[in-house]
Amino acid sequence: MTLIDSAGNTLALYSIAELRAIEQAAMRDLPQGLLMQRAGQAAASAALKLLHAQEDAGHRRVLVLAGPGDNGGDALEAAAHLAGSGTEVLIWLAPEAQATSPEREQALSRARNSAARFMDATTSMASAAVGAAPWHLVIDGLFGIGASRPLDGECREVAQQVNKLACPVLALDVPSGLHADTGAIDGIAIRATHTLTFIGDKPGLHTANGRDYAGEVEVAALAIDPSLLPPAKAQLGGLHLFARQLQPRRQNTHKGSYGSVAIIGGAQGMAGAPILAARTALHAGAGRVYIAFPDAPPAFDSGQPELMCRRAQDVDFSGLHFAALVAGPGLGDDVDTVELLQRTFESDSPLLLDADALNLMAAEPELQSALAVRTGAGATILTPHPLEAARLLDLTVAEVQADRLGAARQLATQLGVIVVLKGSGTVIAAPDGGIVINNTGGPALATAGTGDVLSGLCGSLLAQGWPEWEAAIGAVWLHGAAADALVAAGSGPIGLTAGELIPAIRKLINALSA
């Protein structure tokens, strides 16, 4: 998804509560309705850009969906501006479900006094007309960040019709039906090709269903005084958050300069998982990489003989031999592996826990207790997918996905660790409540083994001395960016394999470190 920032900054992500406070503070010093007028003007400008970008620059027909609240007022202001530009505008006015604000009434009056025409929303024929007419653009102003109920009745029918249209759809603030804080959808939402979001960016546009429904996101700051914007508790990921770690290598170095990693896993029938992680760790720059198998190890990895295969019971994890440990890929769940995992907790090395390590923790509460009291210099990073997170939190997957930021924060705080909650718009959470939502990657990563690649990549960065927060953010971003590069080159998203990511990650790291 392309992210554009008309104000020069889309990194901060604000919750609904934070945005309401910013809006109220701004309105105290502004004439009534000015913010809505600014939003309408910004929306009209964005709409005209989309119309002018279409190949046929002739007569244009725009459908504006205006809801009963302030989001509908923004849409009505935009309709009046567009009608004044000579664009043919038809307004679908949703049934009044609640009392409207004075600002919205002023916007309605301006729209009625413009050249825009109104479609009757009182009959079921309205939704049929939406689907039948040839539109060049639809502007979605049904429900904004304040919506507290799913789309129903005529609004639901119209949303269904809009989602069948082939023309661009511009959502104002958030696509109607999409929760601004979480990216969750209750029933149905309008699928936008573009979203013009006001004052500040929202986390729900970038995680869960947000990446499918928001399209290209642009922020219209509405000339809000920057001093009214509080420090953001959440932000979008990006190269800027870890770029200082990507430096050219000095000549006077050796393999010991770049750390040793141990990948712990590979029970019977699952050796591929740690091998993928280990190969990634090596290609991402670690000086030495070991695989500690819970059972008898293979003599060597024929595809990557540089890897050192050991029996886990013969490896000492407690000393300073390893700069990072990665436990869990293909680890299995028998009694001996619980003891093995406990040994990794006793290490002073930075520790990443993935896959079966997380499942063992969910099944064995004493492991969680042991993790919470880890001492020494070793940081801990957990990389669960939604099901693994649900097990650790004693929730359902649906509950985790309904509030991905909340789930990641809860787990990070509960265990005192960094949590990487994988999925569309991966959420990285710190124990202090800080959040980063990653904006790279996509459906190409929805295949077996890509999580093992991510764990090996993060372990490699830790071994090379990256601070744990930057290692987590950087690994997720690089992992997704490598997949994006392969897709752009025609190697996906369908059929991309985890193994293909490994050389792509190496290429990307070298390009960024030059």
Side-chain angles (χ1 to χ4, degrees), residues 211-212 423-424 440-451 453 479-501 504:
R211 299 185 81 203
D212 285 315
S424 181
T440 62
L445 294 172
T447 186
T450 56
V453 169
H479 183 252
D484 291 342
L486 288 169
V487 171
S491 296
I494 298 170
L496 183 70
T497 63
E500 291 176 275
L501 284 172

Side-chain angles (χ1 to χ4, degrees), residues 13 67 77 168 192 237 274 281 319 346 372 412 423:
L13 301 172
E77 291 281 3
E346 295 167 359

Side-chain angles (χ1 to χ4, degrees), residues 67-442:
D70 287 349
N71 192 246
D74 299 337
L76 291 166
E77 291 281 3
H81 284 294
L82 285 172
S85 73
T87 304
E88 182 182 352
V89 178
L90 188 62
I91 299 171
W92 188 84
L93 200 60
E96 299 293 328
Q98 56 190 7
T100 61
S101 67
E103 295 87 350
R104 197 263 191 186
E105 289 304 307
Q106 292 173 9
L108 177 60
S109 177
R110 274 188 282 272
R112 291 198 183 280
N113 289 328
S114 74
R117 296 182 295 115
F118 283 77
M119 180 189 296
D120 183 8
T122 61
T123 71
S124 60
M125 292 302 294
S127 60
V130 169
W135 305 108
H136 297 94
L137 176 69
V138 175
I139 296 178
D140 166 28
L142 286 178
F143 296 101
I145 63 174
S148 58
R149 59 183 176 83
L151 298 183
D152 57 14
E154 274 291 291
C155 290
R156 179 183 178 87
E157 291 182 25
V158 167
Q160 290 172 330
Q161 292 296 333
V162 168
N163 287 346
K164 298 176 182 178
L165 299 177
C167 67
V169 176
L170 174 64
L172 304 187
D173 220 9
V174 295
S176 295
L178 181 77
H179 197 286
D181 281 348
T182 66
I185 291 173
D186 185 2
I188 187 173
I190 286 183
R191 190 185 297 269
T193 58
H194 301 75
T195 295
L196 182 68
T197 196
F198 300 129
I199 301 178
D201 208 346
K202 286 85 176 167
L205 299 175
H206 305 287
T207 194
N209 290 302
R211 299 185 81 203
D212 285 315
Y213 281 79
E216 295 185 3
V217 177
E218 180 178 353
V219 177
L222 306 187
I224 295 285
D225 185 344
S227 67
L228 297 178
L229 303 178
K233 298 175 184 177
Q235 60 183 315
L236 280 177
L239 183 60
H240 66 286
L241 294 176
F242 58 91
R244 63 177 182 170
Q245 302 298 328
L246 293 163
Q247 300 293 330
R249 287 193 166 181
R250 294 180 294 108
Q251 297 293 332
N252 187 23
T253 57
H254 53 82
K255 63 186 178 184
S257 305
Y258 304 111
S260 297
V261 182
I263 311 294
I264 302 147
Q268 183 67 35
M270 295 185 286
I275 288 174
L276 280 170
R279 289 181 179 181
T280 306
L282 189 64
H283 283 75
R288 290 175 294 195
V289 182
Y290 296 76
I291 306 178
F293 291 87
D295 303 315
F300 64 100
D301 173 13
S302 60
Q304 200 74 63
E306 297 88 348
L307 302 177
M308 289 167 278
C309 301
R310 300 287 188 271
R311 189 178 179 90
Q313 68 181 29
D314 300 329
V315 180
D316 180 10
F317 303 122
S318 62
L320 299 177
H321 183 63
F322 295 107
L325 302 176
V326 175
L331 183 61
D333 58 0
D334 63 29
V335 175
D336 290 340
T337 56
V338 174
E339 181 182 352
L340 175 57
L341 194 58
Q342 181 71 56
R343 287 173 53 206
T344 69
F345 289 2
E346 295 167 359
S347 168
D348 289 340
S349 302
L351 173 63
L352 184 143
L353 300 172
D354 185 33
D356 285 336
L358 304 176
N359 294 327
L360 286 168
M361 286 175 56
E364 304 287 343
E366 64 271 18
L367 287 176
Q368 295 186 42
S369 300
L371 182 65
V373 296
R374 276 194 85 206
T375 58
T380 307
I381 299 174
L382 273 58
T383 57
H385 56 53
L387 177 57
E388 291 159 348
R391 289 168 178 159
L392 287 165
L393 291 168
D394 195 23
L395 298 172
T396 65
V397 172
E399 289 171 325
V400 168
Q401 291 294 80
D403 186 1
R404 288 171 50 77
L405 277 72
R409 275 197 177 112
Q410 181 182 342
L411 191 55
T413 302
Q414 180 177 305
L415 297 177
V417 299
I418 292 170
V419 169
V420 175
L421 179 57
K422 295 179 287 193
S424 181
T426 290
V427 177
I428 304 102
D432 65 2
I435 289 282
V436 167
I437 297 180
N438 188 60
N439 55 15
T440 62

